[in-house]
Amino acid sequence: MTAAFLLIPVLDRNQYHIYILDRALINCIVASGLVALTGLAGQMSLGHAAFYGIGAYTSALLTARLGVPIWLGIVVAAVVCLAAGMLLGIPSFRVSGFYLSLVTIAFGNIVWMVIVNWQSLTGGPLGLLGIPTIRVSGKPIGKVGFFYLSAVVLALTFIISRRIAGSYLGRAMRAMRDDEVAATTMGINARALKLMVFSLSAMYGGVAGGLYAHLSTFLSPESFVFLESCNFVAMAVVGGLRHIFGGILGGIVVTLVPEFLRVKGWEIYYLMGSSLVILLLVIYLPSGLVPAIDNVFDRLFVRGSSSVARGSGASPTGTGPAKVTKGR
């Protein structure tokens, strides 16, 4: 499936389709950060559009106004968001759950108001123009090149998340998520873990924002509103909060579903239709798409191979004794 997805820009040369795929990969990076934050550590953020916006404007201003190389602009955007995530992670020492969500919403609103009102820096409601595109050897990489660049960045974030999830830190985070008091009693430093995972998640948002700035070459405040934070959460939930791959699958599905529903003559209803699809997915697949797909594969291949094994008289695992039937 991954190979087939990566071949789409080669087979489909429609620039709008490739642009949507670029956006999907960028969204996957943000959703992967939310999966790590919520699925591993049990912390909920509804303000990740703020980190997305900070990353986007940081890289855009550095490259457009100061002439900083784009790769350095994106790295600085990631570092700035890492620091902002550490600052916002501090309230999580005292509050959690619904109250932490309110803190992140307030942070998102503050960042959005700064973007709108600091017109001399951000362009305010008129937006920020003149953001350079990514170039290789002096030539723009185009949307196809951007697709593969984003895929590489997404793969790196996936590897980082997977390594953390499989390490002592990941197990400690899951213990903290299930019972923070018991985890602390066992010697786990819950504060340090919360700070680390919040910063990591914010850094993912900053990297995604930096990429988005150089894909669109224009930024406006409408891209960083509270609704965008809700979309990121929906991607993580639809994909599967407790699965590292959930952010990637959810990001692709939630980004592409509205485009599939833009049927000619019914364009005004596409947003309603995509919301209904997400609603049904959350109701009927509350654990997300990743475990549902795993179950389908298990039924198709594991049970199928078991039936073949029983039909041949061998044990299902191939290691145990075969069932012996009495002859006459």
Side-chain angles (χ1 to χ4, degrees):
M1 291 176 62
T2 304
F5 180 77
L6 292 176
L7 283 174
I8 292 176
V10 178
L11 302 175
D12 184 357
R13 306 301 292 183
N14 185 301
Q15 292 298 299
Y16 178 72
H17 293 168
I18 300 172
Y19 173 76
I20 295 300
L21 292 175
D22 291 344
R23 292 293 309 274
L25 291 179
I26 290 173
N27 290 337
C28 289
I29 297 173
V30 186
S32 295
L34 281 172
V35 166
L37 179 65
T38 307
L40 278 180
Q43 304 293 300
M44 175 60 76
S45 171
L46 291 174
H48 257 52
F51 298 116
Y52 188 54
I54 291 173
Y57 276 95
T58 299
S59 187
L61 290 170
L62 286 174
T63 54
R65 301 275 177 87
L66 301 179
V68 171
I70 291 176
W71 66 269
L72 183 57
I74 295 175
V75 169
V76 173
V79 172
V80 169
C81 287
L82 184 77
M86 292 180 70
L87 291 175
L88 189 62
I90 292 174
S92 66
F93 297 161
R94 293 181 177 275
V95 298
S96 60
F98 177 71
Y99 299 99
L100 180 60
S101 299
L102 289 179
V103 170
T104 57
I105 291 172
F107 176 72
N109 288 334
I110 291 170
V111 171
W112 186 79
M113 292 297 292
V114 170
I115 292 173
V116 171
N117 292 295
W118 198 349
Q119 295 189 20
S120 60
L121 184 69
T122 65
L126 299 177
L128 186 63
L129 293 165
I131 303 169
T133 58
I134 298 176
R135 294 173 176 268
V136 175
S137 301
K139 296 181 179 179
I141 61 172
K143 292 183 174 56
V144 176
F146 196 96
F147 174 85
Y148 291 109
L149 173 66
S150 302
V152 170
V153 175
L154 178 60
L156 289 175
T157 59
F158 175 75
I159 292 170
I160 293 172
S161 298
R162 188 163 187 172
R163 291 296 296 263
I164 291 175
S167 68
Y168 162 78
L169 290 174
R171 292 190 290 276
M173 286 179 192
R174 285 191 285 271
M176 179 183 71
R177 175 198 65 195
D178 295 336
D179 192 331
E180 184 174 341
V181 175
T184 305
T185 306
M186 295 296 291
I188 293 173
N189 189 338
R191 288 190 172 191
L193 286 178
K194 287 179 179 178
L195 205 57
M196 190 196 81
V197 73
F198 218 110
S199 306
L200 179 72
S201 180
M203 187 182 72
Y204 284 7
V207 171
L211 288 172
Y212 170 69
H214 299 291
L215 171 67
S216 64
T217 67
F218 169 75
L219 294 178
S220 66
E222 286 77 16
S223 301
F224 311 103
V225 295
F226 174 66
L227 180 61
E228 195 65 17
S229 294
C230 296
N231 282 333
F232 293 141
V233 173
M235 293 171 193
V237 172
V238 167
L241 275 174
R242 297 197 174 187
H243 301 269
I244 298 301
F245 197 71
I248 297 176
L249 187 59
I252 293 173
V253 169
V254 175
T255 306
L256 297 187
V257 163
E259 302 303 322
F260 283 115
L261 296 177
R262 288 179 189 266
V263 181
K264 189 175 181 180
W266 296 82
E267 291 88 350
I268 58 173
Y269 299 108
Y270 83 97
L271 192 57
M272 183 189 301
S274 61
S275 300
L276 181 61
V277 170
I278 293 171
L279 182 67
L280 293 174
L281 286 173
V282 171
I283 290 174
Y284 290 103
L285 299 173
S287 298
L289 286 171
V290 172
I293 293 174
D294 282 345
N295 287 335
V296 171
F297 272 83
D298 286 345
R299 290 181 180 180
L300 287 177
F301 296 107
V302 177
R303 289 188 182 183
S305 61
S306 299
S307 301
V308 171
R310 283 195 298 273
S312 63
S315 69
T317 60
T319 56
K323 184 178 180 181
V324 178
T325 56
K326 283 186 178 181
R328 288 184 178 179

